[in-house]
């Protein structure tokens, strides 16, 4: 993929298209691996380490997909390849630690800003207006991806807890990171309550939460 980035100065639009095509393929592969790791954990026989590794690989693939999509649109606009100035592995969601709202709200912002970007492109306005619209859309896309990663990290935290305690791991589809965090707290609370009730019944005094499975 590095060679394709170097070729952008000669055939920018075609190179950007090929880079994006490769990023789509890699994202699909990473998503498949991540899905299998999550399903295995939910079934009670997976590996928390593989879950973490596959989520990281998916996150990197998502990063590259976002970057290559923005670069493809830059090339279509005839713009200088801003994203191409960095190697793929050097670009992350840096500076996006504060993500407002929910994943759905983030997705809606992407759609709204893309429509504005598309209008700016079709109107044939000034280059500065087009650059501003594209960057605003690109920033919203990065924020959406950051929110998606945060949501999956929180859901996986609930999965690991459920795996270690023998609890159902389900987190509502499309739920936010806050929903997943509440699910994790609920798993811990119920496990503590069961442990306390069992200990009182058998010994007549409260106890602490039993140790998790090794490796959780």
């Amino acid at each position: 993929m590095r060679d394709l980035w170097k070729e952008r100065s000669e055939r920018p639009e075609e190179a950007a298209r090929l880079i994006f095509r490769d990023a789509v393929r890699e994202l699909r592969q990473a998503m498949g691996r991540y899905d299998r790791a999550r399903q295995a954990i939910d079934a009670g026989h997976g590996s928390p380490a593989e879950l973490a590794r596959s989520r990281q690989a998916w996150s990197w693939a998502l990063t590259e997909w976002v970057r290559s999509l923005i670069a493809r649109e830059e090339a279509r606009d005839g713009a200088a390849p801003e994203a191409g100035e960095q190697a793929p592995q050097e670009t992350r969601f840096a500076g996006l630690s504060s993500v407002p709202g929910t994943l759905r709200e983030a997705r809606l912002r992407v759609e709204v800003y893309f429509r504005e970007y598309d209008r700016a492109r079709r109107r044939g306005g000034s280059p500065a207006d087009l650059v501003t619209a594209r960057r605003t859309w690109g920033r919203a896309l990065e924020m959406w991806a950051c929110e998606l990663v945060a949501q999956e990290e929180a859901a996986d935290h609930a999965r690991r807890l459920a795996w270690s305690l023998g609890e159902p791991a389900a987190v509502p589809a499309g739920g936010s990171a806050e929903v997943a965090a509440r699910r994790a707290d609920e798993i811990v609370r119920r496990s503590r309550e069961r442990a306390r009730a069992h200990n009182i019944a058998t010994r007549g005094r409260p106890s602490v939460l039993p140790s998790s499975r090794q490796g959780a």
Side-chain angles (χ1 to χ4, degrees), residues 126-158:
S126 71
D129 289 343
L130 183 60
V131 168
T132 297
R134 186 177 64 241
R135 287 179 176 173
T136 302
W137 161 72
R139 179 68 174 179
L141 186 64
E142 290 171 347
M143 295 293 284
W144 164 81
C146 185
E147 175 71 9
L148 179 59
V149 171
Q151 174 183 287
E152 296 306 325
E153 287 177 347
D156 286 349
H157 176 60

Side-chain angles (χ1 to χ4, degrees), residues 173-188:
S176 65
E178 183 180 354
V179 171
R182 287 202 301 268
R183 173 64 180 140
D185 290 342
E186 180 186 349
I187 290 170
V188 171

Side-chain angles (χ1 to χ4, degrees), residues 1 3 14 42 55 90 95 102 196 216:
M1 193 173 289
D3 293 339
E14 176 63 12
D42 291 347
R55 186 182 65 248
E90 293 171 355
T102 65
R196 192 174 296 114

Side-chain angles (χ1 to χ4, degrees), residues 30 33-34 37-38 49-59:
R33 176 187 174 188
Y34 185 28
R38 289 186 296 189
E50 169 59 14
L51 181 66
R53 286 192 297 267
S54 64
R55 186 182 65 248
Q56 184 179 44
W58 162 76
S59 175

Side-chain angles (χ1 to χ4, degrees), residues 38-80:
R38 289 186 296 189
Q39 290 166 11
I41 286 287
D42 291 347
H45 54 72
S47 162
E50 169 59 14
L51 181 66
R53 286 192 297 267
S54 64
R55 186 182 65 248
Q56 184 179 44
W58 162 76
S59 175
W60 277 105
L62 180 65
T63 304
E64 179 59 19
W65 178 83
V66 167
R67 192 173 73 97
S68 64
L69 175 57
I70 294 170
R72 187 191 69 175
E73 298 309 306
E74 289 172 358
R76 286 179 173 177
D77 292 340

